Amino acid sequence: MRRWLATAAMAGLLALSACGGQEPGGTQATGGTAGGKQQVEVFSWWTGPGEADGLKAMVQIFQKQYPNYQFFDAAVAGGSGDKAKALLKTKLDGNQPPDTFQGHAGAELQGYIQDGKLEELNFLYDELKLRDVFPSQLVEQISVDGKIYSVPVNIHRSNVMWFNPNVLKEAGITAPPKTLDEFIAALEKVKGTGKIPLSIGSEWTVTHLLESVLLGSMGTDAYNALFKPGANWASPEVKTALEKFNTIMSYAGDPQDDWQPAAKQVADGQAAFNIMGDWAYGYFHNPPEGGLGKKSKVDFDWAPSPGTEGTYLWLSDSFTLPKGAKNREGAIAWLKVAASKEGQDAFNPKKGSIPARKDADKSLYTDYLADALEDWSGNKLAGSIQHGVAVNQPWLASINEAVGLYLGTKDVAALQQALDAAAKANLQ
Ligand code: GAL
């Protein structure tokens, strides 16, 4: 982990000194022109199958509406922004920001805001009357002292259990497990068939699994209280949740490189279950150029992660306006597309997410996405840990480190101590 960070920081330094290069992934000096058009450098981590489709759809609208600008894709590969965020920090610290970058609405952006790296966007919210089109709870989440610093383009759900109906059938599982104990029993049944009970990807996907297990074991109010002053991560309730997590992890297959290969094991019938955000839907469902072109309810199916039905463990991708953006006007044009009904309705059906706007065209959201829209409107809310809602970046880094150590030792008591220490260090 440390070695990787060092590499990323080095990549960042190289990026800062590489003037005029053309490599994607943020290694190009920005503010340039291409074919007489001024470039707009958009930084994200949506390069992989499934994710890139959504971005591409929004880019098409951007290019149509703003023919004088050229979209420049500065995406850095790696699910959940694992690698992108380290490089972004280097760029921001070196005052070489992209024109706009993707960040999660909520606690993730706090550090950038406190460090004065972002422009406030109240002017855009006023001009486009955005407070009327986004849910008020979302606007609250992204406001700091009445100022808003990002434009949410979607709502993703983290607590989704994807499963392969045939593999479940083979194992004699007649209905998707609804509680963590049922889940553990189902994993045991799959083990008996020789298939992988639970697929996992790189380290962050295990933190992703952990948040669903914490929510499923503790319940929504107790989960949400974990991020408020006075939270007690040393409690017997957290201990129970972590013990269940440890049992569940004992059924995990070999860690895959990222979330896509882990999800694919389910869609291909090699594994029974994968707990992953609904970006997996875009990946499963989109046609083969970008996705897997799999059949819903045949090759893959879904249910809320065990124990979490009735709660939307949410996160939101949003775009920002860094101070010192070389093409500020171009970035604002991008933000306008990201905020618009047309932009969101192009992006989200491909991305596997639902629009942040309340007035989107519902007929475009079918199959899994229709379920998601319905649940979003009626469920309780809980904020994702791994995807920036509930904890800020230093806290998440400590949680990821604790999970990383756990993966080596499988020491649940040490995991709880490390999570407790991380909460104490980050909660005032
Ligand atoms: C999340 C992000 C999603 C998706 C996912 C996997 O953090 O919000 O949009 O990209 O990572 O990479």
Side-chain angles (χ1 to χ4, degrees), residues 36-85:
K37 297 178 180 186
Q38 214 187 344
Q39 290 187 350
V40 183
E41 182 186 352
V42 179
F43 188 96
S44 77
W45 55 86
W46 297 328
T47 61
E51 325 206 76
D53 288 356
L55 184 60
K56 209 163 113 191
M58 200 151 67
V59 171
Q60 275 167 7
I61 295 185
F62 176 72
Q63 295 294 193
K64 201 174 76 197
Q65 289 185 2
Y66 296 95
N68 295 333
Y69 290 128
Q70 182 62 45
F71 171 84
F72 178 77
D73 190 356
V76 174
S80 190
D82 217 12
K83 303 188 176 54
K85 281 189 229 160

Side-chain angles (χ1 to χ4, degrees), residues 45-46 51 78-81 85 102 104 108 154 156 204 258-260 276 279 315-317 347 351 386-387:
W45 55 86
W46 297 328
E51 325 206 76
S80 190
K85 281 189 229 160
Q102 173 212 348
H104 291 121
E108 182 176 303
N154 69 1
H156 266 306
W204 71 263
D258 207 335
W259 68 268
Q260 287 100 336
M276 190 36 62
W279 41 91
L315 60 123
S316 167
D317 295 315
F347 175 76
K351 185 66 171 58
Q386 175 59 35
H387 308 282

